[in-house]
PDB file of all heavy atoms in Angstrom:
ATOM      1  N   LEU A  23     -10.482   5.555 -18.540  1.00 96.00           N
ATOM      2  CA  LEU A  23      -9.158   4.993 -18.798  1.00 96.00           C
ATOM      3  C   LEU A  23      -8.788   3.977 -17.722  1.00 96.00           C
ATOM      4  O   LEU A  23      -8.227   2.914 -18.018  1.00 96.00           O
ATOM      5  CB  LEU A  23      -8.111   6.104 -18.879  1.00 96.00           C
ATOM      6  CG  LEU A  23      -8.279   7.118 -20.012  1.00 96.00           C
ATOM      7  CD1 LEU A  23      -7.154   8.140 -19.966  1.00 96.00           C
ATOM      8  CD2 LEU A  23      -8.342   6.442 -21.357  1.00 96.00           C
ATOM      9  N   LYS A  24      -9.128   4.289 -16.482  1.00 95.00           N
ATOM     10  CA  LYS A  24      -8.856   3.372 -15.375  1.00 95.00           C
ATOM     11  C   LYS A  24      -9.596   2.052 -15.581  1.00 95.00           C
ATOM     12  O   LYS A  24      -9.032   0.977 -15.376  1.00 95.00           O
ATOM     13  CB  LYS A  24      -9.286   4.019 -14.050  1.00 95.00           C
ATOM     14  CG  LYS A  24      -9.052   3.149 -12.848  1.00 95.00           C
ATOM     15  CD  LYS A  24      -9.486   3.839 -11.574  1.00 95.00           C
ATOM     16  CE  LYS A  24      -9.297   2.895 -10.391  1.00 95.00           C
ATOM     17  NZ  LYS A  24      -9.768   3.469  -9.146  1.00 95.00           N
ATOM     18  N   ARG A  25     -10.836   2.127 -16.006  1.00 96.00           N
ATOM     19  CA  ARG A  25     -11.639   0.913 -16.248  1.00 96.00           C
ATOM     20  C   ARG A  25     -10.977   0.017 -17.293  1.00 96.00           C
ATOM     21  O   ARG A  25     -10.898  -1.203 -17.120  1.00 96.00           O
ATOM     22  CB  ARG A  25     -13.030   1.323 -16.705  1.00 96.00           C
ATOM     23  CG  ARG A  25     -13.934   0.171 -17.009  1.00 96.00           C
ATOM     24  CD  ARG A  25     -15.313   0.654 -17.414  1.00 96.00           C
ATOM     25  NE  ARG A  25     -16.075  -0.465 -17.925  1.00 96.00           N
ATOM     26  CZ  ARG A  25     -17.028  -0.363 -18.813  1.00 96.00           C
ATOM     27  NH1 ARG A  25     -17.377   0.819 -19.274  1.00 96.00           N
ATOM     28  NH2 ARG A  25     -17.658  -1.423 -19.234  1.00 96.00           N
ATOM     29  N   VAL A  26     -10.488   0.602 -18.359  1.00 96.00           N
ATOM     30  CA  VAL A  26      -9.849  -0.168 -19.429  1.00 96.00           C
ATOM     31  C   VAL A  26      -8.552  -0.798 -18.926  1.00 96.00           C
ATOM     32  O   VAL A  26      -8.298  -1.986 -19.165  1.00 96.00           O
ATOM     33  CB  VAL A  26      -9.597   0.719 -20.666  1.00 96.00           C
ATOM     34  CG1 VAL A  26      -8.705   0.013 -21.676  1.00 96.00           C
ATOM     35  CG2 VAL A  26     -10.917   1.115 -21.300  1.00 96.00           C
ATOM     36  N   LEU A  27      -7.739  -0.018 -18.234  1.00 97.00           N
ATOM     37  CA  LEU A  27      -6.481  -0.560 -17.723  1.00 97.00           C
ATOM     38  C   LEU A  27      -6.720  -1.698 -16.741  1.00 97.00           C
ATOM     39  O   LEU A  27      -6.028  -2.724 -16.784  1.00 97.00           O
ATOM     40  CB  LEU A  27      -5.652   0.557 -17.081  1.00 97.00           C
ATOM     41  CG  LEU A  27      -5.076   1.579 -18.060  1.00 97.00           C
ATOM     42  CD1 LEU A  27      -4.497   2.761 -17.308  1.00 97.00           C
ATOM     43  CD2 LEU A  27      -4.038   0.942 -18.961  1.00 97.00           C
ATOM     44  N   GLU A  28      -7.693  -1.559 -15.870  1.00 96.00           N
ATOM     45  CA  GLU A  28      -8.000  -2.624 -14.914  1.00 96.00           C
ATOM     46  C   GLU A  28      -8.542  -3.861 -15.630  1.00 96.00           C
ATOM     47  O   GLU A  28      -8.275  -4.986 -15.217  1.00 96.00           O
ATOM     48  CB  GLU A  28      -8.973  -2.122 -13.851  1.00 96.00           C
ATOM     49  CG  GLU A  28      -8.302  -1.150 -12.887  1.00 96.00           C
ATOM     50  CD  GLU A  28      -9.239  -0.558 -11.859  1.00 96.00           C
ATOM     51  OE1 GLU A  28     -10.477  -0.635 -12.033  1.00 96.00           O
ATOM     52  OE2 GLU A  28      -8.724   0.018 -10.879  1.00 96.00           O
ATOM     53  N   TYR A  29      -9.270  -3.673 -16.702  1.00 95.00           N
ATOM     54  CA  TYR A  29      -9.768  -4.803 -17.493  1.00 95.00           C
ATOM     55  C   TYR A  29      -8.601  -5.636 -18.019  1.00 95.00           C
ATOM     56  O   TYR A  29      -8.671  -6.857 -18.057  1.00 95.00           O
ATOM     57  CB  TYR A  29     -10.630  -4.291 -18.655  1.00 95.00           C
ATOM     58  CG  TYR A  29     -11.047  -5.369 -19.603  1.00 95.00           C
ATOM     59  CD1 TYR A  29     -12.145  -6.181 -19.322  1.00 95.00           C
ATOM     60  CD2 TYR A  29     -10.358  -5.597 -20.789  1.00 95.00           C
ATOM     61  CE1 TYR A  29     -12.531  -7.186 -20.186  1.00 95.00           C
ATOM     62  CE2 TYR A  29     -10.732  -6.595 -21.665  1.00 95.00           C
ATOM     63  CZ  TYR A  29     -11.818  -7.389 -21.360  1.00 95.00           C
ATOM     64  OH  TYR A  29     -12.199  -8.396 -22.226  1.00 95.00           O
ATOM     65  N   TYR A  30      -7.530  -4.972 -18.423  1.00 95.00           N
ATOM     66  CA  TYR A  30      -6.364  -5.666 -18.954  1.00 95.00           C
ATOM     67  C   TYR A  30      -5.380  -6.099 -17.870  1.00 95.00           C
ATOM     68  O   TYR A  30      -4.266  -6.504 -18.160  1.00 95.00           O
ATOM     69  CB  TYR A  30      -5.658  -4.805 -20.004  1.00 95.00           C
ATOM     70  CG  TYR A  30      -6.427  -4.751 -21.304  1.00 95.00           C
ATOM     71  CD1 TYR A  30      -6.973  -3.567 -21.753  1.00 95.00           C
ATOM     72  CD2 TYR A  30      -6.625  -5.899 -22.067  1.00 95.00           C
ATOM     73  CE1 TYR A  30      -7.689  -3.517 -22.939  1.00 95.00           C
ATOM     74  CE2 TYR A  30      -7.342  -5.858 -23.248  1.00 95.00           C
ATOM     75  CZ  TYR A  30      -7.875  -4.669 -23.681  1.00 95.00           C
ATOM     76  OH  TYR A  30      -8.597  -4.625 -24.853  1.00 95.00           O
ATOM     77  N   GLY A  31      -5.774  -6.020 -16.619  1.00 96.00           N
ATOM     78  CA  GLY A  31      -4.975  -6.564 -15.539  1.00 96.00           C
ATOM     79  C   GLY A  31      -4.027  -5.600 -14.855  1.00 96.00           C
ATOM     80  O   GLY A  31      -3.212  -6.019 -14.033  1.00 96.00           O
ATOM     81  N   TYR A  32      -4.121  -4.334 -15.157  1.00 96.00           N
ATOM     82  CA  TYR A  32      -3.274  -3.338 -14.491  1.00 96.00           C
ATOM     83  C   TYR A  32      -3.880  -3.010 -13.125  1.00 96.00           C
ATOM     84  O   TYR A  32      -5.094  -2.940 -12.975  1.00 96.00           O
ATOM     85  CB  TYR A  32      -3.171  -2.055 -15.325  1.00 96.00           C
ATOM     86  CG  TYR A  32      -2.223  -2.185 -16.485  1.00 96.00           C
ATOM     87  CD1 TYR A  32      -2.594  -2.851 -17.637  1.00 96.00           C
ATOM     88  CD2 TYR A  32      -0.953  -1.646 -16.421  1.00 96.00           C
ATOM     89  CE1 TYR A  32      -1.719  -2.979 -18.708  1.00 96.00           C
ATOM     90  CE2 TYR A  32      -0.072  -1.756 -17.482  1.00 96.00           C
ATOM     91  CZ  TYR A  32      -0.464  -2.437 -18.622  1.00 96.00           C
ATOM     92  OH  TYR A  32       0.410  -2.556 -19.673  1.00 96.00           O
ATOM     93  N   GLU A  33      -3.019  -2.831 -12.153  1.00 96.00           N
ATOM     94  CA  GLU A  33      -3.450  -2.462 -10.809  1.00 96.00           C
ATOM     95  C   GLU A  33      -3.018  -1.028 -10.533  1.00 96.00           C
ATOM     96  O   GLU A  33      -1.890  -0.639 -10.848  1.00 96.00           O
ATOM     97  CB  GLU A  33      -2.844  -3.399  -9.777  1.00 96.00           C
ATOM     98  CG  GLU A  33      -3.339  -4.828  -9.927  1.00 96.00           C
ATOM     99  CD  GLU A  33      -2.738  -5.757  -8.891  1.00 96.00           C
ATOM    100  OE1 GLU A  33      -1.974  -5.287  -8.016  1.00 96.00           O
ATOM    101  OE2 GLU A  33      -3.025  -6.954  -8.973  1.00 96.00           O
ATOM    102  N   SER A  34      -3.917  -0.262  -9.946  1.00 94.00           N
ATOM    103  CA  SER A  34      -3.590   1.137  -9.668  1.00 94.00           C
ATOM    104  C   SER A  34      -3.114   1.294  -8.238  1.00 94.00           C
ATOM    105  O   SER A  34      -3.535   0.571  -7.347  1.00 94.00           O
ATOM    106  CB  SER A  34      -4.803   2.034  -9.918  1.00 94.00           C
ATOM    107  OG  SER A  34      -5.820   1.766  -8.991  1.00 94.00           O
ATOM    108  N   SER A  35      -2.229   2.239  -8.057  1.00 90.00           N
ATOM    109  CA  SER A  35      -1.793   2.582  -6.704  1.00 90.00           C
ATOM    110  C   SER A  35      -2.186   4.031  -6.462  1.00 90.00           C
ATOM    111  O   SER A  35      -2.070   4.880  -7.350  1.00 90.00           O
ATOM    112  CB  SER A  35      -0.288   2.390  -6.542  1.00 90.00           C
ATOM    113  OG  SER A  35       0.420   3.174  -7.468  1.00 90.00           O
ATOM    114  N   ASN A  36      -2.669   4.283  -5.264  1.00 83.00           N
ATOM    115  CA  ASN A  36      -3.104   5.627  -4.912  1.00 83.00           C
ATOM    116  C   ASN A  36      -1.924   6.576  -4.912  1.00 83.00           C
ATOM    117  O   ASN A  36      -0.802   6.198  -4.576  1.00 83.00           O
ATOM    118  CB  ASN A  36      -3.777   5.620  -3.548  1.00 83.00           C
ATOM    119  CG  ASN A  36      -5.083   4.874  -3.551  1.00 83.00           C
ATOM    120  OD1 ASN A  36      -5.732   4.764  -4.583  1.00 83.00           O
ATOM    121  ND2 ASN A  36      -5.469   4.358  -2.418  1.00 83.00           N
ATOM    122  N   PRO A  37      -2.171   7.820  -5.276  1.00 84.00           N
ATOM    123  CA  PRO A  37      -1.075   8.789  -5.322  1.00 84.00           C
ATOM    124  C   PRO A  37      -0.553   9.121  -3.933  1.00 84.00           C
ATOM    125  O   PRO A  37      -1.257   8.965  -2.933  1.00 84.00           O
ATOM    126  CB  PRO A  37      -1.717  10.020  -5.974  1.00 84.00           C
ATOM    127  CG  PRO A  37      -3.178   9.859  -5.768  1.00 84.00           C
ATOM    128  CD  PRO A  37      -3.445   8.388  -5.678  1.00 84.00           C
ATOM    129  N   ALA A  38       0.672   9.571  -3.898  1.00 78.00           N
ATOM    130  CA  ALA A  38       1.269  10.012  -2.638  1.00 78.00           C
ATOM    131  C   ALA A  38       0.543  11.272  -2.177  1.00 78.00           C
ATOM    132  O   ALA A  38      -0.205  11.887  -2.928  1.00 78.00           O
ATOM    133  CB  ALA A  38       2.749  10.286  -2.841  1.00 78.00           C
ATOM    134  N   SER A  39       0.782  11.654  -0.968  1.00 80.00           N
ATOM    135  CA  SER A  39       0.068  12.803  -0.397  1.00 80.00           C
ATOM    136  C   SER A  39       0.187  14.041  -1.273  1.00 80.00           C
ATOM    137  O   SER A  39       1.273  14.430  -1.690  1.00 80.00           O
ATOM    138  CB  SER A  39       0.608  13.110   0.998  1.00 80.00           C
ATOM    139  OG  SER A  39       1.973  13.465   0.918  1.00 80.00           O
ATOM    140  N   GLY A  40      -0.948  14.615  -1.587  1.00 79.00           N
ATOM    141  CA  GLY A  40      -0.993  15.838  -2.358  1.00 79.00           C
ATOM    142  C   GLY A  40      -0.893  15.671  -3.859  1.00 79.00           C
ATOM    143  O   GLY A  40      -1.045  16.617  -4.600  1.00 79.00           O
TER     144      GLY A  40
END
Side-chain angles (χ1 to χ4, degrees):
L23 297 181
K24 180 180 177 183
R25 179 178 170 209
V26 169
L27 290 170
E28 288 177 344
Y29 173 82
Y30 286 115
Y32 282 78
E33 295 180 3
S34 67
S35 58
N36 293 334
S39 62

